[in-house]
Amino acid sequence: MFGFIRLTISPQLRQWLVRRTQSTLTAEAGAASGAAAATGPNAASNRIVGRWLLGCSGLVVGAIVLGGVTRLTESGLSMVDWHLVREMKPPQSQAEWEAEFSKYQQFPEFKIMNHDMTLPEFKFIFYMEWGHRMWGRLVGLAYILPTIYFWRKGYFNRSMKAKVLGLCGFVFFQGLLGWYMVKSGLEEKPDSHDIPRVSQYRLSAHLGSALLLYSASLWTGLTLLLPVQKLTETKRLLQLRRFAKGTGGLVFLTALSGAFVAGLDAGLVYNSFPKMGDRWIPDDLLAFSPTLKNFFENPTTVQFDHRILGTSALAAITGLYLFSRKMVLPRRAKLAISLLTSMAYLQVVLGISTLLLYVPTPLAATHQSGSVALLSLAIWVLAELRKMPK
Protein backbone atom coordinates (compact mmCIF):
# COMPACT_ATOMS: atom_id res chain seq x y z
CA MET A 1 0.00 0.00 0.00
CA PHE A 2 1.16 3.46 -0.77
CA GLY A 3 1.51 5.90 2.05
CA PHE A 4 0.16 9.48 1.96
CA ILE A 5 2.24 12.59 2.58
CA ARG A 6 0.26 15.34 4.23
CA LEU A 7 1.26 18.91 3.33
CA THR A 8 0.41 21.67 5.71
CA ILE A 9 -0.09 25.18 4.15
CA SER A 10 -0.10 28.19 6.35
CA PRO A 11 -3.12 30.57 6.22
CA GLN A 12 -0.90 33.39 4.96
CA LEU A 13 0.40 31.29 2.04
CA ARG A 14 -3.15 30.20 1.18
CA GLN A 15 -4.37 33.83 1.01
CA TRP A 16 -1.41 34.81 -1.17
CA LEU A 17 -2.16 31.98 -3.64
CA VAL A 18 -5.85 33.00 -3.84
CA ARG A 19 -4.96 36.65 -4.52
CA ARG A 20 -2.39 35.61 -7.12
CA THR A 21 -4.90 33.41 -8.96
CA GLN A 22 -7.57 36.14 -8.96
CA SER A 23 -5.18 38.78 -10.34
CA THR A 24 -4.04 36.40 -13.10
CA LEU A 25 -7.62 35.66 -14.15
CA THR A 26 -8.47 39.39 -14.16
CA ALA A 27 -5.46 40.20 -16.33
CA GLU A 28 -6.31 37.43 -18.81
CA ALA A 29 -9.92 38.61 -19.03
CA GLY A 30 -8.76 42.19 -19.63
CA ALA A 31 -6.37 41.08 -22.36
CA ALA A 32 -9.11 39.06 -24.04
CA SER A 33 -11.54 41.99 -23.98
CA GLY A 34 -8.82 44.32 -25.28
CA ALA A 35 -8.10 41.96 -28.18
CA ALA A 36 -11.81 41.79 -28.99
CA ALA A 37 -12.03 45.59 -28.96
CA ALA A 38 -9.03 45.82 -31.28
CA THR A 39 -10.52 43.42 -33.82
CA GLY A 40 -14.24 44.12 -33.46
CA PRO A 41 -16.44 47.17 -34.12
CA ASN A 42 -16.17 49.98 -31.61
CA ALA A 43 -16.67 53.74 -31.53
CA ALA A 44 -13.28 54.43 -33.13
CA SER A 45 -13.71 51.90 -35.94
CA ASN A 46 -17.26 53.10 -36.57
CA ARG A 47 -15.95 56.64 -37.06
CA ILE A 48 -13.37 55.37 -39.55
CA VAL A 49 -15.97 53.38 -41.49
CA GLY A 50 -18.40 56.30 -41.39
CA ARG A 51 -15.85 58.70 -42.84
CA TRP A 52 -14.91 56.18 -45.51
CA LEU A 53 -18.57 55.86 -46.58
CA LEU A 54 -18.97 59.64 -46.67
CA GLY A 55 -15.89 59.81 -48.88
CA CYS A 56 -17.35 57.13 -51.16
CA SER A 57 -20.64 59.02 -51.39
CA GLY A 58 -18.68 62.13 -52.38
CA LEU A 59 -17.04 60.19 -55.20
CA VAL A 60 -20.48 59.00 -56.35
CA VAL A 61 -21.61 62.65 -56.49
CA GLY A 62 -18.62 63.36 -58.71
CA ALA A 63 -19.64 60.51 -61.01
CA ILE A 64 -23.22 61.81 -61.19
CA VAL A 65 -22.12 65.36 -62.00
CA LEU A 66 -19.53 64.20 -64.53
CA GLY A 67 -22.12 61.91 -66.11
CA GLY A 68 -24.53 64.82 -66.41
CA VAL A 69 -21.93 66.98 -68.12
CA THR A 70 -21.07 64.09 -70.44
CA ARG A 71 -24.73 63.85 -71.39
CA LEU A 72 -25.11 67.62 -71.84
CA THR A 73 -22.05 67.81 -74.12
CA GLU A 74 -23.33 64.76 -76.07
CA SER A 75 -20.11 62.88 -75.40
CA GLY A 76 -21.51 59.61 -74.06
CA LEU A 77 -21.46 57.72 -77.38
CA SER A 78 -17.89 58.57 -78.34
CA MET A 79 -16.42 55.34 -76.92
CA VAL A 80 -18.04 52.49 -78.83
CA ASP A 81 -16.27 49.64 -76.97
CA TRP A 82 -16.24 48.59 -73.34
CA HIS A 83 -13.18 46.96 -71.81
CA LEU A 84 -12.61 46.93 -68.07
CA VAL A 85 -8.81 47.29 -68.22
CA ARG A 86 -7.73 47.92 -71.80
CA GLU A 87 -9.64 51.17 -72.22
CA MET A 88 -8.02 52.69 -69.12
CA LYS A 89 -5.27 53.96 -71.40
CA PRO A 90 -6.57 56.46 -73.99
CA PRO A 91 -5.10 56.62 -77.52
CA GLN A 92 -1.57 57.98 -77.55
CA SER A 93 -0.34 58.24 -81.12
CA GLN A 94 -1.94 59.85 -84.14
CA ALA A 95 -2.56 56.40 -85.62
CA GLU A 96 -4.38 55.24 -82.50
CA TRP A 97 -6.59 58.34 -82.46
CA GLU A 98 -7.46 57.91 -86.12
CA ALA A 99 -8.33 54.25 -85.53
CA GLU A 100 -10.61 55.21 -82.62
CA PHE A 101 -12.21 57.96 -84.69
CA SER A 102 -12.74 55.51 -87.53
CA LYS A 103 -14.66 53.17 -85.20
CA TYR A 104 -16.86 56.06 -84.05
CA GLN A 105 -17.65 56.96 -87.67
CA GLN A 106 -19.35 53.59 -88.17
CA PHE A 107 -22.14 54.40 -85.72
CA PRO A 108 -25.37 56.43 -86.07
CA GLU A 109 -24.33 59.50 -84.04
CA PHE A 110 -21.54 60.33 -86.50
CA LYS A 111 -23.54 59.43 -89.60
CA ILE A 112 -26.63 61.45 -88.68
CA MET A 113 -25.45 64.26 -86.41
CA ASN A 114 -21.65 64.62 -86.43
CA HIS A 115 -20.73 63.73 -90.02
CA ASP A 116 -18.61 66.89 -90.31
CA MET A 117 -16.79 66.39 -86.98
CA THR A 118 -13.02 66.86 -86.98
CA LEU A 119 -10.50 64.77 -85.06
CA PRO A 120 -9.82 67.49 -82.43
CA GLU A 121 -13.57 67.75 -81.80
CA PHE A 122 -13.76 64.00 -81.42
CA LYS A 123 -10.91 64.05 -78.92
CA PHE A 124 -12.92 66.40 -76.70
CA ILE A 125 -16.02 64.20 -76.50
CA PHE A 126 -13.85 61.08 -76.20
CA TYR A 127 -11.99 62.49 -73.19
CA MET A 128 -15.30 63.48 -71.57
CA GLU A 129 -16.62 59.93 -71.76
CA TRP A 130 -13.22 58.44 -70.89
CA GLY A 131 -13.03 60.63 -67.78
CA HIS A 132 -16.51 59.51 -66.72
CA ARG A 133 -15.61 55.85 -67.11
CA MET A 134 -12.31 56.23 -65.27
CA TRP A 135 -14.09 58.03 -62.45
CA GLY A 136 -16.46 55.08 -62.26
CA ARG A 137 -13.51 52.71 -61.85
CA LEU A 138 -12.14 54.97 -59.11
CA VAL A 139 -15.49 54.71 -57.32
CA GLY A 140 -15.33 50.92 -57.57
CA LEU A 141 -11.84 50.77 -56.08
CA ALA A 142 -12.84 53.19 -53.30
CA TYR A 143 -15.58 50.79 -52.24
CA ILE A 144 -13.95 47.41 -52.79
CA LEU A 145 -10.37 47.83 -51.49
CA PRO A 146 -11.26 49.41 -48.11
CA THR A 147 -14.04 46.83 -47.71
CA ILE A 148 -11.46 44.05 -47.90
CA TYR A 149 -9.16 45.85 -45.45
CA PHE A 150 -11.86 46.70 -42.90
CA TRP A 151 -13.33 43.21 -43.14
CA ARG A 152 -9.98 41.63 -42.29
CA LYS A 153 -9.47 44.09 -39.42
CA GLY A 154 -12.83 43.12 -37.95
CA TYR A 155 -14.41 46.56 -38.27
CA PHE A 156 -17.76 45.19 -39.47
CA ASN A 157 -20.45 43.44 -37.48
CA ARG A 158 -22.83 41.06 -39.22
CA SER A 159 -25.27 43.81 -40.22
CA MET A 160 -22.52 46.05 -41.61
CA LYS A 161 -21.02 43.16 -43.58
CA ALA A 162 -24.33 42.71 -45.39
CA LYS A 163 -24.53 46.44 -46.08
CA VAL A 164 -21.05 46.83 -47.53
CA LEU A 165 -21.44 43.71 -49.66
CA GLY A 166 -24.63 45.20 -51.03
CA LEU A 167 -22.89 48.51 -51.77
CA CYS A 168 -19.97 46.80 -53.55
CA GLY A 169 -22.36 44.65 -55.57
CA PHE A 170 -24.32 47.73 -56.52
CA VAL A 171 -21.17 49.45 -57.78
CA PHE A 172 -20.48 46.51 -60.09
CA PHE A 173 -24.11 46.50 -61.26
CA GLN A 174 -23.91 50.25 -61.91
CA GLY A 175 -20.97 49.76 -64.27
CA LEU A 176 -22.78 47.09 -66.26
CA LEU A 177 -25.89 49.24 -66.39
CA GLY A 178 -23.84 52.15 -67.76
CA TRP A 179 -22.59 50.06 -70.68
CA TYR A 180 -26.09 48.67 -71.26
CA MET A 181 -27.29 52.27 -71.51
CA VAL A 182 -24.57 53.29 -73.97
CA LYS A 183 -25.35 50.33 -76.22
CA SER A 184 -28.88 51.65 -76.75
CA GLY A 185 -27.44 54.75 -78.42
CA LEU A 186 -25.15 52.76 -80.72
CA GLU A 187 -27.89 50.66 -82.30
CA GLU A 188 -28.92 51.26 -85.89
CA LYS A 189 -32.58 52.37 -86.19
CA PRO A 190 -33.48 52.41 -89.90
CA ASP A 191 -37.06 53.53 -89.26
CA SER A 192 -36.03 56.54 -87.19
CA HIS A 193 -34.55 59.83 -88.35
CA ASP A 194 -34.29 61.25 -84.86
CA ILE A 195 -31.01 62.33 -83.28
CA PRO A 196 -29.23 59.21 -81.92
CA ARG A 197 -29.52 59.10 -78.14
CA VAL A 198 -29.49 56.54 -75.39
CA SER A 199 -32.77 55.10 -74.18
CA GLN A 200 -34.38 57.38 -71.61
CA TYR A 201 -35.45 54.26 -69.71
CA ARG A 202 -31.87 53.03 -69.41
CA LEU A 203 -30.63 56.54 -68.62
CA SER A 204 -33.11 56.89 -65.77
CA ALA A 205 -32.18 53.41 -64.49
CA HIS A 206 -28.49 54.35 -64.58
CA LEU A 207 -29.07 57.63 -62.75
CA GLY A 208 -31.55 56.04 -60.35
CA SER A 209 -29.13 53.31 -59.34
CA ALA A 210 -26.39 55.93 -58.79
CA LEU A 211 -28.74 57.93 -56.57
CA LEU A 212 -29.63 54.79 -54.61
CA LEU A 213 -25.96 53.95 -54.14
CA TYR A 214 -25.28 57.50 -53.01
CA SER A 215 -28.25 57.61 -50.64
CA ALA A 216 -27.40 54.27 -49.03
CA SER A 217 -23.73 55.24 -48.55
CA LEU A 218 -24.57 58.67 -47.15
CA TRP A 219 -27.25 57.33 -44.80
CA THR A 220 -25.00 54.56 -43.45
CA GLY A 221 -22.09 56.96 -43.00
CA LEU A 222 -24.20 59.55 -41.19
CA THR A 223 -25.74 56.99 -38.84
CA LEU A 224 -22.25 55.85 -37.86
CA LEU A 225 -20.92 59.37 -37.31
CA LEU A 226 -23.88 61.30 -35.88
CA PRO A 227 -25.02 60.39 -32.37
CA VAL A 228 -28.74 59.73 -32.10
CA GLN A 229 -30.59 62.80 -30.86
CA LYS A 230 -32.44 62.43 -27.58
CA LEU A 231 -35.99 63.20 -28.70
CA THR A 232 -39.13 62.80 -26.65
CA GLU A 233 -41.30 60.30 -28.51
CA THR A 234 -44.58 62.10 -29.13
CA LYS A 235 -47.33 61.82 -31.70
CA ARG A 236 -46.17 65.08 -33.30
CA LEU A 237 -42.61 63.76 -33.62
CA LEU A 238 -43.94 60.61 -35.29
CA GLN A 239 -45.85 62.78 -37.75
CA LEU A 240 -42.72 64.83 -38.44
CA ARG A 241 -40.73 61.68 -39.19
CA ARG A 242 -43.38 60.45 -41.61
CA PHE A 243 -43.54 63.88 -43.23
CA ALA A 244 -39.76 63.92 -43.63
CA LYS A 245 -39.70 60.43 -45.17
CA GLY A 246 -42.42 61.34 -47.66
CA THR A 247 -40.62 64.55 -48.55
CA GLY A 248 -37.34 62.70 -49.07
CA GLY A 249 -39.07 60.23 -51.36
CA LEU A 250 -40.56 63.09 -53.37
CA VAL A 251 -37.14 64.73 -53.73
CA PHE A 252 -35.70 61.44 -54.99
CA LEU A 253 -38.54 60.98 -57.49
CA THR A 254 -38.12 64.54 -58.77
CA ALA A 255 -34.39 63.99 -59.34
CA LEU A 256 -35.13 60.73 -61.14
CA SER A 257 -37.67 62.42 -63.42
CA GLY A 258 -34.87 64.73 -64.51
CA ALA A 259 -33.28 61.73 -66.26
CA PHE A 260 -36.29 61.45 -68.55
CA VAL A 261 -36.07 65.20 -69.23
CA ALA A 262 -32.40 64.81 -70.16
CA GLY A 263 -32.94 61.62 -72.15
CA LEU A 264 -35.63 63.19 -74.36
CA ASP A 265 -34.13 66.71 -74.46
CA ALA A 266 -37.47 67.75 -73.00
CA GLY A 267 -35.98 70.92 -71.54
CA LEU A 268 -35.98 72.41 -75.05
CA VAL A 269 -39.69 71.87 -75.74
CA TYR A 270 -41.34 74.71 -73.80
CA ASN A 271 -38.91 77.38 -72.60
CA SER A 272 -41.35 79.55 -70.68
CA PHE A 273 -42.55 79.65 -67.08
CA PRO A 274 -44.97 79.32 -65.34
CA LYS A 275 -47.02 78.60 -68.48
CA MET A 276 -45.93 76.20 -71.20
CA GLY A 277 -46.17 78.45 -74.22
CA ASP A 278 -49.38 80.39 -73.76
CA ARG A 279 -51.17 77.61 -71.87
CA TRP A 280 -51.11 76.15 -68.40
CA ILE A 281 -51.76 72.70 -69.86
CA PRO A 282 -50.36 72.28 -73.42
CA ASP A 283 -52.43 70.73 -76.20
CA ASP A 284 -49.96 67.91 -76.90
CA LEU A 285 -49.77 66.71 -73.29
CA LEU A 286 -51.45 63.38 -74.14
CA ALA A 287 -50.67 63.19 -77.85
CA PHE A 288 -49.28 59.64 -77.75
CA SER A 289 -51.33 56.48 -77.64
CA PRO A 290 -51.70 54.58 -75.36
CA THR A 291 -51.96 57.31 -72.73
CA LEU A 292 -49.37 55.77 -70.39
CA LYS A 293 -46.73 56.12 -73.10
CA ASN A 294 -46.87 59.92 -72.78
CA PHE A 295 -45.40 59.88 -69.28
CA PHE A 296 -42.16 58.28 -70.47
CA GLU A 297 -41.82 59.11 -74.17
CA ASN A 298 -43.64 62.40 -74.83
CA PRO A 299 -41.18 65.29 -74.20
CA THR A 300 -44.04 67.68 -73.38
CA THR A 301 -45.51 65.36 -70.76
CA VAL A 302 -42.09 64.57 -69.31
CA GLN A 303 -41.31 68.28 -68.85
CA PHE A 304 -44.79 68.91 -67.43
CA ASP A 305 -44.36 66.08 -64.91
CA HIS A 306 -40.94 67.39 -63.86
CA ARG A 307 -42.45 70.81 -63.23
CA ILE A 308 -45.27 69.34 -61.15
CA LEU A 309 -42.90 67.15 -59.13
CA GLY A 310 -40.52 70.06 -58.53
CA THR A 311 -43.33 72.32 -57.38
CA SER A 312 -44.74 69.58 -55.15
CA ALA A 313 -41.32 68.94 -53.59
CA LEU A 314 -40.93 72.64 -52.86
CA ALA A 315 -44.38 72.77 -51.25
CA ALA A 316 -43.64 69.65 -49.17
CA ILE A 317 -40.31 71.00 -47.93
CA THR A 318 -41.91 74.34 -47.06
CA GLY A 319 -44.63 72.47 -45.14
CA LEU A 320 -42.00 70.39 -43.34
CA TYR A 321 -40.20 73.57 -42.29
CA LEU A 322 -43.36 75.24 -40.99
CA PHE A 323 -44.43 72.07 -39.17
CA SER A 324 -41.03 71.73 -37.50
CA ARG A 325 -41.03 75.35 -36.31
CA LYS A 326 -43.80 74.53 -33.84
CA MET A 327 -41.73 71.79 -32.20
CA VAL A 328 -38.80 71.71 -29.80
CA LEU A 329 -35.99 70.07 -31.76
CA PRO A 330 -32.20 69.83 -31.26
CA ARG A 331 -30.15 72.55 -32.88
CA ARG A 332 -28.63 70.24 -35.49
CA ALA A 333 -32.04 69.00 -36.63
CA LYS A 334 -33.33 72.56 -36.98
CA LEU A 335 -30.24 73.51 -38.99
CA ALA A 336 -30.70 70.54 -41.34
CA ILE A 337 -34.35 71.42 -42.02
CA SER A 338 -33.51 75.10 -42.57
CA LEU A 339 -30.74 74.27 -45.04
CA LEU A 340 -33.04 71.83 -46.85
CA THR A 341 -35.64 74.57 -47.25
CA SER A 342 -33.12 77.13 -48.51
CA MET A 343 -31.67 74.64 -51.01
CA ALA A 344 -35.16 73.79 -52.29
CA TYR A 345 -35.86 77.40 -53.24
CA LEU A 346 -32.42 77.79 -54.81
CA GLN A 347 -32.96 74.60 -56.82
CA VAL A 348 -36.28 75.87 -58.18
CA VAL A 349 -34.60 79.13 -59.24
CA LEU A 350 -31.85 77.15 -60.97
CA GLY A 351 -34.43 74.99 -62.75
CA ILE A 352 -36.46 77.93 -64.02
CA SER A 353 -33.31 79.75 -65.14
CA THR A 354 -32.09 76.67 -67.00
CA LEU A 355 -35.43 76.42 -68.77
CA LEU A 356 -35.73 80.11 -69.74
CA LEU A 357 -32.16 80.24 -71.06
CA TYR A 358 -32.61 77.15 -73.28
CA VAL A 359 -30.56 74.77 -71.15
CA PRO A 360 -26.98 76.14 -71.20
CA THR A 361 -24.56 73.41 -70.20
CA PRO A 362 -23.00 75.09 -67.10
CA LEU A 363 -26.40 76.06 -65.67
CA ALA A 364 -27.95 72.67 -66.45
CA ALA A 365 -25.03 70.90 -64.75
CA THR A 366 -25.43 73.16 -61.72
CA HIS A 367 -29.15 72.35 -61.60
CA GLN A 368 -28.40 68.62 -61.65
CA SER A 369 -25.81 69.05 -58.90
CA GLY A 370 -28.43 70.97 -56.93
CA SER A 371 -30.75 67.97 -57.05
CA VAL A 372 -28.07 65.84 -55.41
CA ALA A 373 -27.44 68.53 -52.78
CA LEU A 374 -31.17 68.65 -52.04
CA LEU A 375 -31.32 64.87 -51.69
CA SER A 376 -28.29 64.97 -49.39
CA LEU A 377 -29.95 67.47 -47.07
CA ALA A 378 -33.16 65.41 -47.02
CA ILE A 379 -31.12 62.37 -45.92
CA TRP A 380 -29.40 64.45 -43.26
CA VAL A 381 -32.78 65.52 -41.89
CA LEU A 382 -33.87 61.87 -41.69
CA ALA A 383 -30.63 60.94 -39.91
CA GLU A 384 -31.20 63.66 -37.32
CA LEU A 385 -34.77 62.54 -36.67
CA ARG A 386 -34.10 58.79 -36.47
CA LYS A 387 -35.20 56.79 -33.45
CA MET A 388 -32.97 55.80 -30.58
CA PRO A 389 -31.88 52.15 -31.11
CA LYS A 390 -33.46 49.69 -28.68
Side-chain angles (χ1 to χ4, degrees):
M1 297 293 295
F2 293 98
F4 292 94
I5 299 176
R6 185 176 181 179
L7 296 177
T8 303
I9 301 177
S10 66
Q12 293 82 1
L13 181 59
R14 186 182 296 111
Q15 291 176 2
W16 181 84
L17 288 173
V18 169
R19 287 197 301 269
R20 180 72 176 178
T21 302
Q22 288 177 342
S23 63
T24 302
L25 291 174
T26 302
E28 290 176 352
S33 62
T39 58
N42 52 46
S45 64
N46 283 342
R47 283 195 298 272
I48 294 172
V49 173
R51 290 167 183 166
W52 161 59
L53 289 174
L54 289 187
C56 287
S57 64
L59 289 175
V60 175
V61 170
I64 292 172
V65 173
L66 188 55
V69 175
T70 301
R71 173 70 188 88
L72 289 165
T73 55
E74 297 179 337
S75 305
L77 300 178
S78 57
M79 296 181 70
V80 297
D81 295 321
W82 191 87
H83 302 285
L84 185 60
V85 177
R86 193 168 64 188
E87 71 180 21
M88 293 179 69
K89 182 180 179 182
Q92 301 295 310
S93 65
Q94 182 70 13
E96 289 177 346
W97 274 113
E98 289 177 354
E100 196 68 39
F101 191 27
S102 178
K103 288 193 291 185
Y104 173 70
Q105 292 172 346
Q106 300 172 24
F107 289 87
E109 186 175 71
F110 177 83
K111 295 177 181 178
I112 297 175
M113 190 173 69
N114 292 335
H115 49 83
D116 56 349
M117 175 176 279
T118 62
L119 182 59
E121 292 171 334
F122 170 72
K123 287 183 179 181
F124 171 78
I125 64 171
F126 183 93
Y127 272 125
M128 286 297 302
E129 174 64 9
W130 179 82
H132 181 50
R133 294 192 187 189
M134 293 307 103
W135 192 278
R137 285 162 173 75
L138 175 63
V139 171
L141 292 176
Y143 274 96
I144 295 170
L145 295 182
T147 293
I148 297 172
Y149 174 78
F150 293 143
W151 194 299
R152 296 185 64 180
K153 294 284 287 185
Y155 282 14
F156 301 143
N157 57 24
R158 181 177 297 181
S159 174
M160 187 57 66
K161 285 180 179 179
K163 290 176 183 177
V164 296
L165 284 178
L167 292 174
C168 291
F170 217 73
V171 171
F172 181 72
F173 170 75
Q174 174 71 356
L176 294 178
L177 192 56
W179 173 240
Y180 179 65
M181 176 192 70
V182 169
K183 283 186 66 177
S184 66
L186 300 176
E187 297 170 353
E188 295 280 356
K189 300 174 183 177
D191 299 331
S192 174
H193 299 283
D194 195 10
I195 295 174
R197 55 167 65 95
V198 299
S199 164
Q200 70 272 24
Y201 296 103
R202 300 185 191 184
L203 177 62
S204 62
H206 188 49
L207 175 62
S209 62
L211 291 175
L212 284 174
L213 176 64
Y214 172 70
S215 300
S217 301
L218 181 62
W219 168 262
T220 307
L222 288 177
T223 54
L224 289 173
L225 290 173
L226 296 178
V228 180
Q229 302 278 18
K230 295 181 179 179
L231 301 170
T232 303
E233 294 295 329
T234 62
K235 181 179 179 181
R236 198 168 183 82
L237 178 60
L238 181 61
Q239 291 173 337
L240 181 65
R241 284 198 184 109
R242 289 174 178 171
F243 199 170
K245 289 177 182 178
T247 301
L250 188 55
V251 169
F252 184 92
L253 186 60
T254 305
L256 188 59
S257 73
F260 283 92
V261 175
L264 293 171
D265 290 327
L268 299 172
V269 178
Y270 286 95
N271 298 92
S272 57
F273 190 87
K275 292 184 176 181
M276 299 179 72
D278 57 352
R279 293 175 174 271
W280 291 103
I281 300 179
D283 291 336
D284 56 340
L285 188 67
L286 299 175
F288 292 9
S289 181
T291 303
L292 184 62
K293 190 176 181 181
N294 289 278
F295 295 93
F296 305 104
E297 299 184 17
N298 185 340
T300 297
T301 313
V302 166
Q303 188 192 121
F304 182 81
D305 291 345
H306 191 59
R307 291 183 183 213
I308 296 299
L309 286 169
T311 305
S312 300
L314 179 64
I317 292 171
T318 303
L320 180 71
Y321 173 79
L322 296 175
F323 189 83
S324 68
R325 298 299 292 178
K326 300 177 182 179
M327 301 177 60
V328 178
L329 295 173
R331 182 175 176 275
R332 240 181 25 225
K334 286 186 176 181
L335 176 62
I337 294 174
S338 297
L339 290 176
L340 174 66
T341 306
S342 300
M343 187 65 221
Y345 280 89
L346 176 60
Q347 177 67 354
V348 169
V349 171
L350 287 171
I352 295 173
S353 301
T354 302
L355 187 70
L356 297 180
L357 296 175
Y358 291 84
V359 198
T361 298
L363 194 55
T366 305
H367 179 54
Q368 185 182 36
S369 303
S371 67
V372 181
L374 194 62
L375 180 62
S376 306
L377 291 168
I379 294 171
W380 181 23
V381 170
L382 291 173
E384 294 293 352
L385 297 178
R386 72 188 190 275
K387 288 184 179 181
M388 185 80 70
K390 296 180 180 181

